[in-house]
């Protein structure tokens, strides 16, 4: 018997009546992925040893076990990657017939689909997210992005009529750890479709699916140097930003680093798009279908452990339905299954890193100290690994840190309102403006709210829905520029009038 089966059996013995309905473990096979002991940098179509000579260990956050040794690229490594990207741009890639470029993108999309199980398992292993999400959301959406932008590759003149769209050159792309493969797809697919070449850096805690993607690039026989992947921490990112041979920077991550990048790039003429943090309002009116809304609240904040820039982290409930909503919400929270990311029944997986867990713990502590009321469902957490119980705070004042700052964890702050005007005023009372949710039966109210909410993406009677055809991006400190859709293409083309 495995350890977990023994555990289930032990619990069943102790209390047969209450555990009779326990889920049996349903672990996804881990051995479908082959993880190398160590990785180099993917430059010019092959893995090369880092000139820095430095490596660090990447781990499985659910078990705190090492998975592999990954390169920490330095300035010389970044320079090498940018040169390879420039060579590929000046060489074959920018001169290729657009319909040929499209074929490569279609090929990548199909290979991602064929190898989806491998990618899903690796994403969950290295990042801690539940396999259900990596399998059903991250990987299919990543493939969908390549399919979508493949379709645009030979239609740029139709996307931007009479403006002579052309590629920009070398794009430097820096991505975070919450959706490692999906963010890679968001960055690489439109860049390649428009005829650019890229140097991409995955986040330090989640490099493995990006390194597996290099294998897809080789399988698709993409010309060497079109896609280069350099691993490392923020220092590597800063080298990409500062490199004079990079024509465009695309960044997704913290507002703090986004601001630093913007300062570095001021006056250089390099193009920039920033997708930063958020503190979204999820607004429930008293005519909303309450059971669906509760599902939307749960999905809005506990999806991907709340490591979501557009998470519905501030819940606004109309006063007349406050009690009923909170009662239903707490009941639903008690059914959430927290634990092994590779178990197919898991709803909430591991926190991505120790640092992120510490940030969540300290913000939650501040919520208690400032006077909010905390609720956590009973929940047995694994002994090793980084975990945080799904949490809801009621009695929250707008001034509390938990109502102001991005927690980026499974923590919801509940506030109330009486009128639509009050909801708008409170929802917009944030330095961010990435997303929002509105739950109501009235179509006219949805449109009226959407017009007045200062947020880039607004969901109505749903939450956290994504589609490659739909542009995504923020207002204010959530950044600028859009990813996805035709808008996402615009960031990667030079035009006569821009
Ligand atoms: P971060 O912004 O430091 O990291 C994101 C990416 O930027 C990583 O690839 C990192 O290596 C790189 N980076 C770090 N410093 C850099 C620099 N000076 N120049 C260029 N690249 C640099 O975010 P971190 O520290 O992982 O998380 C801190 C907080 O940021 C989170 O708690 C969350 O609130 C927010 N965040 C928001 C994300 C979003 O999707 N909007 C994603 C990740 C974090
Ligand atoms: Mg950081």
């Amino acid at each position: 018997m495995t350890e977990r089966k023994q555990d289930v059996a032990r619990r069943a013995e102790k209390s047969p009546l209450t555990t009779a309905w326990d889920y049996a473990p349903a672990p996804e096979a881990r051995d479908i992925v082959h993880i190398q002991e160590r990785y180099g940098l993917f430059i010019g179509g092959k893995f090369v040893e880092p000139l820095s000579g430095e490596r660090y260990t990447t781990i499985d956050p659910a078990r705190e076990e090492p998975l592999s040794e990954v390169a920490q690229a330095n300035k010389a490594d970044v320079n090498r990657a940018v040169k390879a990207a420039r060579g590929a741009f000046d060489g074959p890639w920018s001169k290729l017939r657009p319909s040929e470029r499209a074929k490569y993108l279609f090929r990548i999309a199909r290979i991602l689909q064929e190898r989806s199980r491998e990618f899903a398992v690796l994403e969950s292993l290295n990042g801690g997210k539940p396999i259900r999400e990596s399998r059903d959301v991250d990987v299919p959406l990543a493939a969908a992005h390549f399919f979508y932008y493949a379709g645009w590759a030979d239609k740029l003149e139709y996307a931007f009529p009479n403006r002579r769209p052309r590629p920009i050159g070398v794009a430097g792309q820096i991505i975070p750890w919450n959706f490692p493969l999906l963010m890679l797809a968001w960055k690489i697919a439109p860049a390649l479709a428009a005829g650019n070449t890229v140097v991409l850096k995955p986040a330090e805690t989640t490099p493995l699916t990006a390194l597996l993607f290099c294998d897809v690039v080789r399988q698709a026989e993409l010309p060497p140097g079109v896609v280069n992947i350099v691993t490392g921490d923020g220092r590597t990112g800063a080298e990409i930003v500062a490199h004079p041979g990079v024509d465009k920077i695309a960044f997704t991550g913290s507002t703090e680093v986004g601001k630093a990048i913007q300062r570095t790039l001021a006056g250089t003429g390099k193009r920039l798009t920033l997708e930063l943090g958020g503190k979204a309002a999820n607004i429930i009116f008293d005519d909303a279908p309450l059971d669906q809304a509760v599902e939307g609240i749960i999905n809005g904040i506990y999806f991907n452990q709340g490591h979501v820039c557009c998470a519905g982290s501030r819940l606004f409930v109309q006063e007349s339905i406050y009690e009923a909503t909170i009662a239903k919400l707490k009941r639903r929270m008690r059914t959430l299954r927290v634990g092994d990311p590779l178990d197919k029944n898991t709803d909430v997986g591991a926190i991505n890193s120790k640092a992120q867990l510490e940030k969540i713990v300290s913000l939650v502590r501040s919520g208690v100290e400032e006077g909010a009321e905390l609720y956590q469902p009973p929940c047995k957490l694994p002994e090793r690994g980084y975990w945080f119980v799904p949490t809801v705070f009621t009695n929250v004042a707008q001034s509390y840190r938990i109502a102001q700052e991005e927690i980026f964890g499974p923590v919801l702050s509940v506030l109330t309102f009486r009128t639509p005007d009050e909801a708008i005023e409170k929802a917009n009372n944030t330095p961010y403006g990435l997303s929002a949710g509105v739950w109501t039966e009235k179509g006219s109210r949805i449109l009226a709210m959407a017009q007045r909410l200062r947020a880039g993406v607004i969901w109505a009677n749903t939450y956290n829905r994504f589609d490659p055809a739909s542009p995504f991006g923020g207002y204010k400190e959530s950044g600028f520029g859009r990813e996805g859709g035709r808008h996402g293409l615009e960031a990667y083309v030079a035009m006569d009038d821009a």
Side-chain angles (χ1 to χ4, degrees), residues 21 63 99 152 177 209 326 358 374 478:
W21 296 97
R63 292 170 187 79
S99 56
W152 275 122
W177 40 264
T209 46
I326 298 304
E358 281 163 5
L374 171 141
S478 293

Side-chain angles (χ1 to χ4, degrees), residues 445-473:
R445 182 178 275 163
I446 291 171
L447 297 175
M449 291 293 290
Q451 226 158 39
R452 297 170 66 199
L453 284 166
R454 298 284 295 160
V457 180
I458 294 163
W459 286 289
N461 294 328
T462 187
Y463 208 91
N464 273 341
R465 288 263 178 181
F466 304 95
D467 189 286
S470 171
F472 183 94

